[in-house]
Amino acid sequence: MNKLLLADGINKVKSGEYKLDNAPKKIEICGEVIIHYENKNNENIEIEVKDNNKLIIYNLYDITNDVKILINLNNNSKIIYNLLLINDGKNKVNLNLNMNGNKSEALIKVHIINKNSDSNINFICDGKIEENTIDNVLTEDLKGLIISDDSIKISPNMEVLTNEVIANHEVAIGSFKSEDLFYFQSRGLNLEEAQNLLIKGFVNSILSEELRNDLKMEVRAIE
Amino acid sequence: MLKIDNLTVKAADKTILENFNLEINDGEIHVLMGPNGAGKSTICKTLMHHPDYQIFKGKIEYNDQDITDYTPTLMGKLGFFLLNQNPVEIEGVTNAELIRNVLSEQKGEKIDIFEFNKKLNKVCEIINLPKEFVHRSINFNMSGGEKKKNELLHLFMLEPKFIILDEVDSGLDIDALKIVGTSLAKYYEMYKPSILIVTHHADILKYFDDFKVHIINDKKIVKNGDKELINAIEIKGFEASIINGNEDNE
């Protein structure tokens, strides 16, 4: 896998699979691209998927201050955004997605977890589909796992200015499912071990293998 | 031996088992049958101390130990294993992670990966399951038959002493039922556990030679018998079998 080295300003990314460590200001996708991106610096990011191109991104964000993520999709383009937010403190994250062209597709999958019991995060997902566009598909699938007294707020906003569109959103915020806990406990694990496995499952299920390895230390810190 | 003595159980303030009695000796297979809503699944979850089911009266003993107030964790540690008709799906946690965690908890030490893999290969062969399943998320995106085989993987790897099968045969096609049935029979032959089979149908029972049968109706066992009782149920149905069985009430 290539390591993507980015300069300041706009970076054009051609077809391939990349590991991204540092924070770019803007990425332009010009091909079929997979990016594994761990953002530890709380930088804002802007992504543009050009006409007829595709991006699959696995993005692990350590949130310690307010962050903005901007995505622009053009004609016949596609993005699958797998985003894990690990929040520390009281922060706001804005994700703005603009579908400017026709026949494009966006799947925004987000898992959110707080690092501490006094942390709280406000995640706003704004999906906008411009007027006079056709055949776009937008899906927002947003989940928050509450571990103790922490708080997660998710706003799945959609501004749809055309009728020729398929748009869905799903939000789930909650604690551990009692049936999942019972399942692990009845196998012989205690409550804490069962909860730790479920936290691991929640974060792992949205990340690529690449980022899971990077995350191991993080999860231990949450546990 | 498991001894359930005069058990009354409530869920959401509703009595769902009343004065329920049952004894299962070590190595015995018992079959619990009955119409829908009779309390069959309730007894399975009550035995595993599911938090939604509260024991209000009576006692549960296992090998002379009072386990009435046990937790699900303690039941698991004691060697009880519930195989559900519709096991939960847990994305992101692999079978290997769970099994290794439970085994190291059981043994109080890290498990030997070489031994683990050796056993895994053997088990996958018995239950006709590709080895890759061990690295898949628990029951996630699996068909009904695959989920049952996946649960059998846990069963064989963890080697429980008391197995509770809650309608394990429901939703299985003929081939899947055969694999589940022969695998369970093999497990019984290898480890001689006690087994409580809760079922609507007799299909799964053809894989076992010797077992006792109980009919549950209206929150308690109303008739006891053996294989012959299964034949009577298949011919006459539960209702007729229950009417003729009042003299067998415990």
Side-chain angles (χ1 to χ4, degrees):
Chain A
M1 190 184 307
N2 299 316
K3 199 153 193 172
L4 196 56
L5 296 172
L6 296 162
D8 282 347
I10 298 171
N11 292 273
K12 293 189 177 184
V13 183
K14 291 180 181 168
S15 291
E17 187 170 359
Y18 304 93
K19 179 96 185 275
L20 178 58
D21 289 331
N22 56 344
K25 285 182 182 159
K26 184 172 178 181
I27 308 173
E28 277 184 10
I29 303 300
C30 310
E32 294 213 354
V33 175
I34 299 173
I35 294 178
H36 309 266
Y37 177 27
E38 182 176 7
N39 190 328
K40 288 185 169 174
N41 302 322
N42 277 271
E43 299 283 346
N44 298 333
I45 183 170
E46 187 178 339
I47 299 167
E48 174 144 13
V49 186
K50 293 289 194 185
D51 288 354
N52 307 312
N53 292 308
K54 180 180 171 185
L55 171 66
I56 299 174
I57 180 165
Y58 299 92
N59 189 182
L60 162 59
Y61 246 107
D62 278 302
I63 304 293
T64 51
N65 52 255
D66 294 352
V67 166
K68 284 186 179 167
I69 300 165
L70 175 63
I71 303 164
N72 284 304
L73 274 189
N74 296 303
N75 288 306
N76 196 31
S77 60
K78 185 172 180 177
I79 185 167
I80 298 175
Y81 201 143
N82 300 283
L83 174 62
L84 173 65
L85 301 175
I86 300 180
N87 178 57
D88 190 355
K90 295 181 181 177
N91 300 303
K92 187 163 90 172
V93 176
N94 280 82
L95 188 152
N96 288 86
L97 168 76
N98 298 311
M99 301 182 85
N100 305 315
N102 302 317
K103 295 184 177 178
S104 59
E105 195 179 333
L107 170 60
I108 308 295
K109 286 182 75 176
V110 184
H111 284 192
I112 304 170
I113 197 165
N114 280 312
K115 231 171 182 173
N116 308 302
S117 59
D118 57 353
S119 289
N120 81 59
I121 180 166
N122 182 8
F123 177 68
I124 300 159
C125 187
D126 288 324
K128 185 176 181 187
I129 303 172
E130 292 291 349
E131 58 185 325
N132 300 323
T133 58
I134 57 163
D135 297 339
N136 288 306
V137 180
L138 168 59
T139 307
E140 296 177 1
D141 180 2
L142 317 171
K143 293 188 173 85
L145 178 64
I146 309 264
I147 297 174
S148 56
D149 296 329
D150 54 312
S151 138
I152 296 172
K153 187 180 172 197
I154 297 176
S155 306
N157 304 322
M158 283 183 171
E159 191 180 354
V160 179
L161 305 172
T162 174
N163 290 327
E164 304 288 321
V165 67
I166 298 172
N168 295 300
H169 63 189
E170 188 180 322
V171 175
I173 306 170
S175 189
F176 305 103
K177 289 183 194 164
S178 62
E179 286 306 314
D180 293 352
L181 283 174
F182 171 72
Y183 180 84
F184 282 152
Q185 288 177 285
S186 69
R187 291 286 189 264
L189 299 180
N190 64 36
L191 180 63
E192 198 186 338
E193 290 162 338
Q195 287 176 339
N196 286 345
L197 266 187
L198 289 173
I199 292 170
K200 202 184 257 184
F202 184 74
V203 300
N204 278 349
S205 58
I206 198 150
L207 294 179
S208 57
E209 193 67 42
E210 282 289 319
L211 292 177
R212 276 181 210 168
N213 294 329
D214 294 345
L215 186 67
K216 273 179 186 161
M217 295 304 293
E218 292 276 344
V219 174
R220 280 196 197 106
I222 295 169
E223 287 168 9
Chain B
M1 180 178 78
L2 177 78
K3 190 176 175 192
I4 304 172
D5 186 20
N6 239 9
L7 207 66
T8 295
V9 175
K10 287 186 181 182
D13 277 342
K14 196 177 161 198
T15 302
I16 43 179
L17 283 180
E18 200 161 20
N19 300 324
F20 184 94
N21 295 287
L22 182 64
E23 285 186 18
I24 301 177
N25 288 315
D26 290 351
E28 280 184 354
I29 299 172
H30 287 239
V31 180
L32 192 60
M33 298 182 87
N36 289 328
K40 297 190 301 297
S41 287
T42 298
I43 192 64
C44 299
K45 288 191 168 171
T46 300
L47 274 176
M48 291 309 291
H49 293 270
H50 189 289
D52 289 350
Y53 299 84
Q54 304 300 320
I55 297 173
F56 266 73
K57 207 181 84 184
K59 201 175 185 185
I60 309 174
E61 284 182 6
Y62 184 62
N63 292 341
D64 299 324
Q65 195 178 346
D66 187 346
I67 59 168
T68 316
D69 295 326
Y70 266 38
T71 59
T73 303
L74 287 173
M75 293 306 291
K77 285 187 175 185
L78 198 59
F80 279 62
F81 186 100
L82 170 63
L83 207 163
N84 248 323
Q85 55 177 310
N86 195 14
V88 293
E89 295 186 17
I90 301 175
E91 191 183 4
V93 182
T94 66
N95 290 306
E97 275 174 306
L98 174 61
I99 294 167
R100 281 191 203 132
N101 267 285
V102 174
L103 284 176
S104 73
E105 186 63 27
Q106 273 177 11
K107 292 177 178 168
E109 59 185 46
K110 270 199 159 185
I111 57 153
D112 182 327
I113 295 293
F114 177 74
E115 288 299 320
F116 180 84
N117 287 335
K118 204 168 125 188
K119 186 171 178 185
L120 181 71
N121 289 344
K122 213 162 126 185
V123 169
C124 286
E125 208 170 294
I126 294 171
I127 61 178
N128 192 22
L129 188 75
K131 272 181 281 180
E132 294 71 42
F133 263 68
V134 80
H135 299 300
R136 283 182 60 176
S137 292
I138 298 166
N139 297 320
F140 183 70
N141 276 347
M142 292 185 191
S143 68
E146 285 175 334
K147 281 182 186 173
K148 301 287 164 61
K149 283 202 237 174
N150 201 53
E151 292 291 293
L152 287 173
L153 172 70
H154 295 195
L155 178 95
F156 273 86
M157 293 301 288
L158 301 178
E159 296 179 17
K161 291 183 286 189
F162 197 109
I163 303 168
I164 303 163
L165 305 174
D166 184 9
E167 294 185 31
V168 69
D169 45 357
S170 77
L172 294 182
D173 62 30
I174 294 169
D175 293 336
L177 179 69
K178 190 176 174 187
I179 289 169
V180 171
T182 50
S183 301
L184 286 168
K186 179 81 180 167
Y187 187 89
Y188 183 71
E189 185 192 315
M190 287 165 73
Y191 300 103
K192 283 285 177 296
S194 307
I195 306 181
L196 175 62
I197 302 174
V198 169
T199 184
H200 275 294
H201 310 288
D203 298 348
I204 190 82
L205 304 177
K206 67 182 175 203
Y207 297 96
F208 301 98
D209 295 328
D210 189 28
F211 48 82
K212 294 180 177 169
V213 180
H214 314 277
I215 300 179
I216 183 171
N217 191 42
D218 195 21
K219 304 165 199 161
K220 66 181 89 169
I221 287 176
V222 293
K223 189 170 175 71
N224 300 294
D226 53 22
K227 270 185 173 177
E228 291 305 311
L229 183 53
I230 297 286
N231 297 335
I233 292 167
E234 290 216 299
I235 296 165
K236 294 188 277 182
F238 285 122
E239 212 170 309
S241 306
I242 292 164
I243 291 164
N244 294 334
N246 287 338
E247 68 276 12
D248 285 328
N249 285 4
E250 286 189 348

mmCIF file of all heavy atoms in Angstrom, chain A residues 49-78:
data_model
loop_
_atom_site.group_PDB
_atom_site.id
_atom_site.type_symbol
_atom_site.label_atom_id
_atom_site.label_comp_id
_atom_site.label_asym_id
_atom_site.label_seq_id
_atom_site.Cartn_x
_atom_site.Cartn_y
_atom_site.Cartn_z
ATOM 1 N N VAL A 49 -14.929 14.544 -4.852
ATOM 2 C CA VAL A 49 -14.861 13.396 -5.761
ATOM 3 C C VAL A 49 -15.292 13.891 -7.136
ATOM 4 O O VAL A 49 -16.435 14.309 -7.340
ATOM 5 C CB VAL A 49 -15.758 12.233 -5.284
ATOM 6 C CG1 VAL A 49 -15.552 11.008 -6.181
ATOM 7 C CG2 VAL A 49 -15.476 11.872 -3.826
ATOM 8 N N LYS A 50 -14.337 13.868 -8.062
ATOM 9 C CA LYS A 50 -14.580 14.402 -9.407
ATOM 10 C C LYS A 50 -15.530 13.504 -10.200
ATOM 11 O O LYS A 50 -15.802 12.364 -9.807
ATOM 12 C CB LYS A 50 -13.234 14.518 -10.152
ATOM 13 C CG LYS A 50 -12.302 15.565 -9.559
ATOM 14 C CD LYS A 50 -12.847 16.935 -9.866
ATOM 15 C CE LYS A 50 -11.852 18.039 -9.615
ATOM 16 N NZ LYS A 50 -12.470 19.362 -9.818
ATOM 17 N N ASP A 51 -15.999 13.988 -11.324
ATOM 18 C CA ASP A 51 -16.926 13.236 -12.184
ATOM 19 C C ASP A 51 -16.398 11.820 -12.448
ATOM 20 O O ASP A 51 -15.214 11.638 -12.749
ATOM 21 C CB ASP A 51 -17.089 13.937 -13.536
ATOM 22 C CG ASP A 51 -17.906 15.219 -13.424
ATOM 23 O OD1 ASP A 51 -18.425 15.483 -12.306
ATOM 24 O OD2 ASP A 51 -18.013 15.934 -14.426
ATOM 25 N N ASN A 52 -17.303 10.847 -12.340
ATOM 26 C CA ASN A 52 -17.017 9.440 -12.693
ATOM 27 C C ASN A 52 -15.947 8.776 -11.817
ATOM 28 O O ASN A 52 -15.321 7.816 -12.251
ATOM 29 C CB ASN A 52 -16.584 9.320 -14.172
ATOM 30 C CG ASN A 52 -17.564 9.972 -15.096
ATOM 31 O OD1 ASN A 52 -18.770 9.733 -14.959
ATOM 32 N ND2 ASN A 52 -17.091 10.817 -15.980
ATOM 33 N N ASN A 53 -15.742 9.278 -10.642
ATOM 34 C CA ASN A 53 -14.734 8.688 -9.762
ATOM 35 C C ASN A 53 -15.356 8.178 -8.457
ATOM 36 O O ASN A 53 -16.512 8.458 -8.152
ATOM 37 C CB ASN A 53 -13.627 9.706 -9.477
ATOM 38 C CG ASN A 53 -12.828 9.993 -10.732
ATOM 39 O OD1 ASN A 53 -12.358 9.068 -11.390
ATOM 40 N ND2 ASN A 53 -12.716 11.249 -11.101
ATOM 41 N N LYS A 54 -14.535 7.428 -7.701
ATOM 42 C CA LYS A 54 -15.091 6.731 -6.545
ATOM 43 C C LYS A 54 -14.089 6.731 -5.386
ATOM 44 O O LYS A 54 -12.897 6.507 -5.587
ATOM 45 C CB LYS A 54 -15.382 5.279 -6.966
ATOM 46 C CG LYS A 54 -15.964 4.412 -5.881
ATOM 47 C CD LYS A 54 -16.209 3.004 -6.441
ATOM 48 C CE LYS A 54 -16.581 2.048 -5.338
ATOM 49 N NZ LYS A 54 -16.700 0.671 -5.818
ATOM 50 N N LEU A 55 -14.597 6.966 -4.205
ATOM 51 C CA LEU A 55 -13.745 6.948 -3.001
ATOM 52 C C LEU A 55 -14.383 6.079 -1.921
ATOM 53 O O LEU A 55 -15.566 6.241 -1.584
ATOM 54 C CB LEU A 55 -13.567 8.364 -2.443
ATOM 55 C CG LEU A 55 -12.880 8.456 -1.072
ATOM 56 C CD1 LEU A 55 -11.425 7.995 -1.152
ATOM 57 C CD2 LEU A 55 -12.943 9.884 -0.520
ATOM 58 N N ILE A 56 -13.575 5.151 -1.397
ATOM 59 C CA ILE A 56 -13.953 4.457 -0.168
ATOM 60 C C ILE A 56 -12.969 4.928 0.883
ATOM 61 O O ILE A 56 -11.750 4.781 0.704
ATOM 62 C CB ILE A 56 -13.878 2.923 -0.323
ATOM 63 C CG1 ILE A 56 -14.832 2.455 -1.411
ATOM 64 C CG2 ILE A 56 -14.216 2.233 1.008
ATOM 65 C CD1 ILE A 56 -14.717 0.977 -1.738
ATOM 66 N N ILE A 57 -13.467 5.504 1.943
ATOM 67 C CA ILE A 57 -12.548 6.020 2.968
ATOM 68 C C ILE A 57 -12.906 5.454 4.346
ATOM 69 O O ILE A 57 -14.078 5.389 4.717
ATOM 70 C CB ILE A 57 -12.524 7.574 2.966
ATOM 71 C CG1 ILE A 57 -11.570 8.107 4.040
ATOM 72 C CG2 ILE A 57 -13.895 8.192 3.124
ATOM 73 C CD1 ILE A 57 -11.218 9.585 3.872
ATOM 74 N N TYR A 58 -11.866 4.997 5.024
ATOM 75 C CA TYR A 58 -11.990 4.569 6.421
ATOM 76 C C TYR A 58 -11.273 5.626 7.232
ATOM 77 O O TYR A 58 -10.067 5.825 7.060
ATOM 78 C CB TYR A 58 -11.336 3.204 6.637
ATOM 79 C CG TYR A 58 -11.971 2.106 5.816
ATOM 80 C CD1 TYR A 58 -11.472 1.797 4.551
ATOM 81 C CD2 TYR A 58 -13.063 1.403 6.298
ATOM 82 C CE1 TYR A 58 -12.057 0.813 3.779
ATOM 83 C CE2 TYR A 58 -13.659 0.406 5.532
ATOM 84 C CZ TYR A 58 -13.148 0.110 4.279
ATOM 85 O OH TYR A 58 -13.722 -0.865 3.511
ATOM 86 N N ASN A 59 -11.994 6.310 8.072
ATOM 87 C CA ASN A 59 -11.432 7.486 8.737
ATOM 88 C C ASN A 59 -11.630 7.398 10.258
ATOM 89 O O ASN A 59 -12.748 7.327 10.748
ATOM 90 C CB ASN A 59 -12.153 8.722 8.163
ATOM 91 C CG ASN A 59 -11.532 10.038 8.593
ATOM 92 O OD1 ASN A 59 -12.036 11.088 8.229
ATOM 93 N ND2 ASN A 59 -10.454 10.013 9.347
ATOM 94 N N LEU A 60 -10.499 7.382 10.933
ATOM 95 C CA LEU A 60 -10.535 7.366 12.398
ATOM 96 C C LEU A 60 -10.134 8.751 12.888
ATOM 97 O O LEU A 60 -9.033 9.217 12.603
ATOM 98 C CB LEU A 60 -9.558 6.298 12.913
ATOM 99 C CG LEU A 60 -9.086 6.344 14.350
ATOM 100 C CD1 LEU A 60 -10.262 6.261 15.301
ATOM 101 C CD2 LEU A 60 -8.132 5.176 14.620
ATOM 102 N N TYR A 61 -11.050 9.399 13.595
ATOM 103 C CA TYR A 61 -10.810 10.765 14.062
ATOM 104 C C TYR A 61 -10.743 10.799 15.581
ATOM 105 O O TYR A 61 -11.672 10.373 16.249
ATOM 106 C CB TYR A 61 -11.994 11.654 13.651
ATOM 107 C CG TYR A 61 -11.691 12.724 12.638
ATOM 108 C CD1 TYR A 61 -12.127 12.612 11.325
ATOM 109 C CD2 TYR A 61 -11.005 13.874 13.005
ATOM 110 C CE1 TYR A 61 -11.882 13.611 10.385
ATOM 111 C CE2 TYR A 61 -10.754 14.881 12.069
ATOM 112 C CZ TYR A 61 -11.200 14.732 10.768
ATOM 113 O OH TYR A 61 -10.961 15.718 9.858
ATOM 114 N N ASP A 62 -9.650 11.292 16.110
ATOM 115 C CA ASP A 62 -9.593 11.606 17.537
ATOM 116 C C ASP A 62 -10.065 13.038 17.695
ATOM 117 O O ASP A 62 -9.398 13.958 17.224
ATOM 118 C CB ASP A 62 -8.146 11.514 18.045
ATOM 119 C CG ASP A 62 -7.773 10.087 18.345
ATOM 120 O OD1 ASP A 62 -8.449 9.464 19.164
ATOM 121 O OD2 ASP A 62 -6.798 9.605 17.738
ATOM 122 N N ILE A 63 -11.178 13.219 18.357
ATOM 123 C CA ILE A 63 -11.758 14.562 18.444
ATOM 124 C C ILE A 63 -11.425 15.198 19.803
ATOM 125 O O ILE A 63 -11.844 14.672 20.846
ATOM 126 C CB ILE A 63 -13.298 14.495 18.270
ATOM 127 C CG1 ILE A 63 -13.672 13.799 16.950
ATOM 128 C CG2 ILE A 63 -13.915 15.885 18.358
ATOM 129 C CD1 ILE A 63 -13.302 14.543 15.715
ATOM 130 N N THR A 64 -10.704 16.303 19.742
ATOM 131 C CA THR A 64 -10.448 17.028 21.004
ATOM 132 C C THR A 64 -10.838 18.501 20.866
ATOM 133 O O THR A 64 -10.693 19.276 21.803
ATOM 134 C CB THR A 64 -8.960 16.940 21.408
ATOM 135 O OG1 THR A 64 -8.156 17.315 20.290
ATOM 136 C CG2 THR A 64 -8.583 15.548 21.860
ATOM 137 N N ASN A 65 -11.284 18.887 19.677
ATOM 138 C CA ASN A 65 -11.895 20.224 19.503
ATOM 139 C C ASN A 65 -12.875 20.159 18.328
ATOM 140 O O ASN A 65 -13.048 19.092 17.727
ATOM 141 C CB ASN A 65 -10.837 21.302 19.289
ATOM 142 C CG ASN A 65 -9.866 20.971 18.180
ATOM 143 O OD1 ASN A 65 -8.727 20.613 18.438
ATOM 144 N ND2 ASN A 65 -10.303 21.042 16.939
ATOM 145 N N ASP A 66 -13.518 21.265 18.018
ATOM 146 C CA ASP A 66 -14.517 21.254 16.953
ATOM 147 C C ASP A 66 -13.857 20.974 15.591
ATOM 148 O O ASP A 66 -12.755 21.451 15.329
ATOM 149 C CB ASP A 66 -15.248 22.595 16.885
ATOM 150 C CG ASP A 66 -16.080 22.835 18.134
ATOM 151 O OD1 ASP A 66 -16.192 21.894 18.951
ATOM 152 O OD2 ASP A 66 -16.603 23.939 18.293
ATOM 153 N N VAL A 67 -14.556 20.201 14.775
ATOM 154 C CA VAL A 67 -13.992 19.776 13.485
ATOM 155 C C VAL A 67 -15.050 19.913 12.388
ATOM 156 O O VAL A 67 -16.240 19.703 12.628
ATOM 157 C CB VAL A 67 -13.523 18.290 13.580
ATOM 158 C CG1 VAL A 67 -13.269 17.712 12.211
ATOM 159 C CG2 VAL A 67 -12.273 18.176 14.428
ATOM 160 N N LYS A 68 -14.586 20.280 11.185
ATOM 161 C CA LYS A 68 -15.496 20.337 10.028
ATOM 162 C C LYS A 68 -14.991 19.417 8.926
ATOM 163 O O LYS A 68 -13.806 19.424 8.593
ATOM 164 C CB LYS A 68 -15.580 21.764 9.488
ATOM 165 C CG LYS A 68 -16.441 22.661 10.356
ATOM 166 C CD LYS A 68 -16.633 24.020 9.729
ATOM 167 C CE LYS A 68 -17.528 24.850 10.651
ATOM 168 N NZ LYS A 68 -17.537 26.241 10.306
ATOM 169 N N ILE A 69 -15.920 18.657 8.372
ATOM 170 C CA ILE A 69 -15.585 17.754 7.258
ATOM 171 C C ILE A 69 -16.498 18.162 6.096
ATOM 172 O O ILE A 69 -17.721 18.205 6.257
ATOM 173 C CB ILE A 69 -15.859 16.281 7.639
ATOM 174 C CG1 ILE A 69 -15.009 15.881 8.857
ATOM 175 C CG2 ILE A 69 -15.596 15.355 6.454
ATOM 176 C CD1 ILE A 69 -15.454 14.595 9.528
ATOM 177 N N LEU A 70 -15.894 18.462 4.971
ATOM 178 C CA LEU A 70 -16.697 18.890 3.822
ATOM 179 C C LEU A 70 -16.477 17.920 2.657
ATOM 180 O O LEU A 70 -15.342 17.596 2.320
ATOM 181 C CB LEU A 70 -16.272 20.318 3.401
ATOM 182 C CG LEU A 70 -16.930 20.881 2.148
ATOM 183 C CD1 LEU A 70 -18.441 21.017 2.333
ATOM 184 C CD2 LEU A 70 -16.325 22.244 1.787
ATOM 185 N N ILE A 71 -17.578 17.453 2.079
ATOM 186 C CA ILE A 71 -17.478 16.514 0.951
ATOM 187 C C ILE A 71 -18.292 17.067 -0.215
ATOM 188 O O ILE A 71 -19.471 17.420 -0.039
ATOM 189 C CB ILE A 71 -18.030 15.119 1.334
ATOM 190 C CG1 ILE A 71 -17.299 14.559 2.562
ATOM 191 C CG2 ILE A 71 -17.911 14.153 0.157
ATOM 192 C CD1 ILE A 71 -18.025 13.393 3.211
ATOM 193 N N ASN A 72 -17.682 17.109 -1.385
ATOM 194 C CA ASN A 72 -18.410 17.500 -2.594
ATOM 195 C C ASN A 72 -18.409 16.337 -3.570
ATOM 196 O O ASN A 72 -17.350 15.792 -3.899
ATOM 197 C CB ASN A 72 -17.749 18.713 -3.257
ATOM 198 C CG ASN A 72 -18.068 19.987 -2.508
ATOM 199 O OD1 ASN A 72 -19.239 20.321 -2.309
ATOM 200 N ND2 ASN A 72 -17.039 20.674 -2.052
ATOM 201 N N LEU A 73 -19.601 15.973 -4.011
ATOM 202 C CA LEU A 73 -19.730 14.880 -4.979
ATOM 203 C C LEU A 73 -20.206 15.463 -6.301
ATOM 204 O O LEU A 73 -21.135 16.263 -6.326
ATOM 205 C CB LEU A 73 -20.774 13.876 -4.510
ATOM 206 C CG LEU A 73 -20.379 12.744 -3.561
ATOM 207 C CD1 LEU A 73 -21.545 11.767 -3.446
ATOM 208 C CD2 LEU A 73 -19.141 12.028 -4.033
ATOM 209 N N ASN A 74 -19.577 15.007 -7.397
ATOM 210 C CA ASN A 74 -19.980 15.506 -8.715
ATOM 211 C C ASN A 74 -20.691 14.413 -9.510
ATOM 212 O O ASN A 74 -21.120 13.419 -8.932
ATOM 213 C CB ASN A 74 -18.752 16.062 -9.433
ATOM 214 C CG ASN A 74 -18.209 17.277 -8.669
ATOM 215 O OD1 ASN A 74 -18.933 18.238 -8.456
ATOM 216 N ND2 ASN A 74 -16.971 17.192 -8.213
ATOM 217 N N ASN A 75 -20.803 14.590 -10.810
ATOM 218 C CA ASN A 75 -21.601 13.660 -11.623
ATOM 219 C C ASN A 75 -21.067 12.227 -11.573
ATOM 220 O O ASN A 75 -19.858 12.007 -11.669
ATOM 221 C CB ASN A 75 -21.586 14.114 -13.093
ATOM 222 C CG ASN A 75 -22.413 15.359 -13.286
ATOM 223 O OD1 ASN A 75 -23.584 15.398 -12.909
ATOM 224 N ND2 ASN A 75 -21.781 16.394 -13.817
ATOM 225 N N ASN A 76 -22.009 11.285 -11.413
ATOM 226 C CA ASN A 76 -21.679 9.859 -11.499
ATOM 227 C C ASN A 76 -20.501 9.478 -10.595
ATOM 228 O O ASN A 76 -19.651 8.680 -10.952
ATOM 229 C CB ASN A 76 -21.372 9.494 -12.962
ATOM 230 C CG ASN A 76 -21.410 8.002 -13.188
ATOM 231 O OD1 ASN A 76 -22.172 7.299 -12.512
ATOM 232 N ND2 ASN A 76 -20.577 7.521 -14.081
ATOM 233 N N SER A 77 -20.453 10.086 -9.450
ATOM 234 C CA SER A 77 -19.368 9.787 -8.512
ATOM 235 C C SER A 77 -19.931 9.090 -7.285
ATOM 236 O O SER A 77 -21.149 9.090 -7.052
ATOM 237 C CB SER A 77 -18.645 11.071 -8.109
ATOM 238 O OG SER A 77 -19.565 11.958 -7.494
ATOM 239 N N LYS A 78 -19.037 8.501 -6.504
ATOM 240 C CA LYS A 78 -19.505 7.704 -5.379
ATOM 241 C C LYS A 78 -18.560 7.846 -4.186
ATOM 242 O O LYS A 78 -17.340 7.872 -4.359
ATOM 243 C CB LYS A 78 -19.568 6.231 -5.811
ATOM 244 C CG LYS A 78 -20.146 5.312 -4.758
ATOM 245 C CD LYS A 78 -20.356 3.916 -5.344
ATOM 246 C CE LYS A 78 -20.951 2.993 -4.275
ATOM 247 N NZ LYS A 78 -21.231 1.666 -4.789
#
